Amino acid sequence: MRKALLIVGMGALLTVQQTFAHGHSHGKPLSEVEQKASEGVFDNANVKDRALSDWEGIWQSLNPYIQNGDLTPVLEKKAKQTGKSISDLEAYYKAGYATDIDTIGIENNVMEFHVGKNVSACEYTYAGYKILNYASGKKGVRYLFECKDARSKAPKYVQFSDHIISPRKSLHFHIFMGNTSQEALLKEMDNWPTFYPYNMTKAQVVDEMLHH
């Protein structure tokens, strides 16, 4: 039955995500604390637990966009902001976005991973969060989830990072996945596959990245 999850839930989930894609709805406006947290500045006391429902929906990988050159306008803007070369930024994001997962579906605590025609799924349980201190002086939070089903081919350990530190619906996310341990994943800093709502067009994804 789990294989049918995305198909069955597609209509309802896409209806919700059309709000994001077409209206750029970000829900209630960010508070000052939430805005600063999105920039990597926050008080640890403001970090709260979150449920997997914050990431519920159907999501598409950005990997094809960076590989196809579709994100060049985004790279050009970042180059002007940072003073780094476009080629260096492109290499950085190609390594960061790299994944063979095309789409991810999340519903009722079950995550589905689609790689071509192959689908793996598992029900995930919350395993808390970790606050990371980066070399830049900024901070981040990863929300940890685990698959307990030994028969599942889905990743045993999953971590979400989306610049949000308390309960709120995610609008895009970076995901870390592996089968070794949560501790091993927490050390991963170079590969952070990134996902946006499934029904956003290429133009909408680029616009979102440029302006939000």
Side-chain angles (χ1 to χ4, degrees):
M1 289 298 292
R2 282 183 176 167
K3 268 198 169 183
L5 172 66
L6 267 183
I7 306 303
V8 173
M10 184 84 74
L13 291 172
L14 285 184
T15 299
V16 171
Q17 294 196 335
Q18 279 167 357
T19 306
F20 298 150
H22 300 297
H24 292 302
S25 172
H26 287 236
K28 61 182 179 181
L30 293 175
S31 67
E32 185 178 352
V33 169
E34 288 175 320
Q35 181 59 46
K36 285 187 175 179
S38 73
E39 298 165 4
V41 180
F42 56 84
D43 187 321
N44 290 2
N46 290 325
V47 180
K48 307 297 181 188
D49 290 309
R50 296 170 69 190
L52 189 55
S53 56
D54 273 4
W55 295 274
E56 196 158 278
I58 304 171
W59 307 87
Q60 61 172 317
S61 169
L62 288 193
N63 190 48
Y65 294 141
I66 192 71
Q67 295 296 336
N68 295 339
D70 299 323
L71 299 184
T72 298
V74 179
L75 297 178
E76 289 173 344
K77 181 180 180 181
K78 287 184 180 293
K80 289 178 181 177
Q81 290 174 332
T82 63
K84 295 178 180 177
S85 72
I86 291 178
S87 60
D88 283 350
L89 287 168
E90 183 179 44
Y92 173 74
Y93 283 99
K94 278 186 174 179
Y97 292 165
T99 181
D100 59 354
I101 295 170
D102 306 308
T103 56
I104 294 176
I106 304 172
E107 189 174 32
N108 296 329
N109 292 318
V110 173
M111 293 184 65
E112 273 191 358
F113 301 88
H114 289 240
V115 180
K117 294 182 179 180
N118 297 316
V119 183
S120 58
C122 191
E123 183 172 350
Y124 283 80
T125 54
Y126 183 53
Y129 61 78
K130 293 291 184 182
I131 298 170
L132 301 183
N133 295 286
Y134 303 127
S136 64
K138 299 294 182 72
K139 295 192 291 187
V141 180
R142 292 198 198 171
Y143 287 91
L144 286 50
F145 294 87
E146 298 183 1
C147 166
K148 307 287 190 180
D149 184 354
R151 298 166 300 173
S152 173
K153 289 183 168 55
K156 294 188 184 308
Y157 304 101
V158 169
Q159 299 176 0
F160 287 95
S161 175
D162 59 1
H163 320 290
I164 300 174
I165 63 170
S166 59
R168 188 183 183 96
K169 288 290 185 182
S170 188
L171 297 180
H172 78 271
F173 60 81
H174 311 292
I175 190 168
F176 303 80
M177 302 161 284
N179 295 316
T180 304
S181 67
Q182 295 287 14
E183 290 70 27
L185 276 187
L186 288 169
K187 296 175 183 175
E188 177 57 69
M189 295 290 168
D190 300 320
N191 179 230
W192 19 268
T194 301
F195 288 77
Y196 271 67
Y198 177 78
N199 72 329
M200 286 181 73
T201 65
K202 176 171 61 181
Q204 288 166 340
V205 168
V206 171
D207 179 70
E208 186 78 12
M209 297 181 79
L210 283 173
H211 299 109
H212 299 283

